[in-house]
Amino acid sequence: MIVWLNGTHGAGKTTTSALVQQLLPDARIFDAEKVGEVLMDIKPGLPPTDNFQHWEPWRTLVVETARRVLEYTGGTLVMPMTVLVESYWREISDGLTEHGIPIQHFVLHADQTTLRDRIQNDKDLGPSTFRFAYLEPYAEAARSWLHNEAEVIDTTHITADQAAQRIANSVLSPALPLRAMD
């Protein structure tokens, strides 16, 4: 199974993914950004882009890497990765589904003021124009498709521990059976 943590920069994906990994049996973290880093290291470089997700090989390699890791290890992959382009999400999720890999998709959400504050005051990365640039695309994706495709966890007023516990509870609790209409 894959537990995908989506959301924009500052929502808490990296912190929460480490906590979720501790709460789920046989879970590992797979940061798909590392696939992008591999592609960025190719010399001479791939066609110029402002985001490695625009390279088609990134999306297919994320699917293939996740599939191969799960075949090798079993268990659950916790994947903290922002994907805001609907067609890219469909390509990845459809690819995983074609391999019979179930996905639980979560979006870690926070209001714009909170996100800006977290990015501005990030003690590890510091303020980042790159991260700020994704706030509006995230808001647009949230309005148009993203929040309809996932379980949304609002992290504005909860801790990363609380968000991780909600995600783990959702993953570990059996789905409620659908009742037939009378």
Side-chain angles (χ1 to χ4, degrees), residues 8-29:
T8 195
H9 306 284
K13 294 181 307 298
T14 301
T15 302
T16 303
S17 67
L19 297 167
V20 168
Q21 184 266 330
Q22 295 171 19
L23 295 171
L24 298 178
D26 300 319
R28 290 174 172 73
I29 296 173

Side-chain angles (χ1 to χ4, degrees), residues 58-125:
W58 178 79
R59 300 182 301 278
T60 55
L61 286 170
V62 165
V63 170
E64 189 61 16
T65 304
R67 177 178 80 89
R68 295 293 181 152
V69 169
L70 285 172
E71 282 179 356
Y72 185 67
T73 64
T76 299
L77 288 182
V78 179
M79 297 181 65
M81 187 72 215
T82 301
V83 178
L84 301 179
V85 177
E86 184 176 9
S87 63
Y88 296 175
W89 173 250
R90 297 249 179 270
E91 186 177 342
I92 292 166
S93 61
D94 289 352
L96 293 167
T97 300
E98 286 171 14
H99 291 294
I101 301 168
I103 307 163
Q104 284 201 247
H105 185 197
F106 297 88
V107 171
L108 300 185
H109 173 80
D111 64 46
Q112 291 283 312
T113 302
T114 300
L115 291 169
R116 288 183 186 288
D117 183 62
R118 289 177 184 172
I119 294 168
Q120 183 65 38
N121 297 304
D122 189 307
K123 290 177 178 42
D124 295 323
L125 301 174

